């Protein structure tokens, strides 16, 4: 369990370390392979697209792709960190 928490923190740190650019949707904390595939199947490939969707509809919009409350919270927190560090 501690190992998973460490991985989550590292993924969050890596995501927030550089501007959004063309990062893959799967690079967003809280979005793994399964949710990433569902997003890709819906035509959402980049982190920026998820950020825009979350900004417009709120993190609950990720529920339709199978993201549970923790996944949605991790993604929302990551986007807020990006905004604080690099601006919108």
């Amino acid at each position: 369990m501690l190992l998973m928490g460490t991985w989550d923190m590292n993924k969050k740190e890596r995501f927030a370390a550089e501007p959004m650019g063309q990062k893959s949707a799967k690079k967003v904390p809280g979005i793994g392979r399964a949710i990433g595939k569902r997003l890709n199947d819906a035509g959402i490939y980049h982190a920026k697209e998820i950020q825009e969707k979350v900004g417009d509809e709120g993190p609950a919009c990720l529920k339709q792709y199978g993201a549970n409350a923790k996944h949605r919270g991790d993604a929302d927190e990551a986007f807020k960190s990006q905004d604080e560090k690099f601006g919108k």
Side-chain angles (χ1 to χ4, degrees), residues 4 9 11 17 19 25 27 42 48 50 52 79-80 83-84 86:
M4 185 62 173
M9 181 56 85
K11 187 173 183 180
K27 298 283 185 186
K48 186 71 174 168
I50 299 171
E52 290 169 2
F79 292 132
K80 287 177 182 173
D83 288 347
E84 288 174 9
F86 300 105

Side-chain angles (χ1 to χ4, degrees), residues 3-67:
L3 182 59
M4 185 62 173
T6 302
W7 168 250
D8 285 348
M9 181 56 85
N10 289 336
K11 187 173 183 180
K12 290 174 189 174
E13 289 173 356
R14 284 192 305 272
F15 184 79
E18 56 189 44
M20 189 80 66
Q22 292 295 312
K23 289 182 185 180
S24 164
K26 295 175 187 172
K27 298 283 185 186
V28 177
I31 306 297
R33 278 187 264 161
I35 297 169
K37 181 177 180 342
R38 290 183 199 116
L39 287 161
N40 290 169
D41 290 346
I44 300 170
Y45 299 97
H46 297 101
K48 186 71 174 168
E49 295 171 296
I50 299 171
Q51 184 182 34
E52 290 169 2
K53 189 168 185 64
V54 168
D56 292 343
E57 303 173 31
C61 70
L62 295 175
K63 189 174 184 177
Q64 65 186 310
Y65 305 104

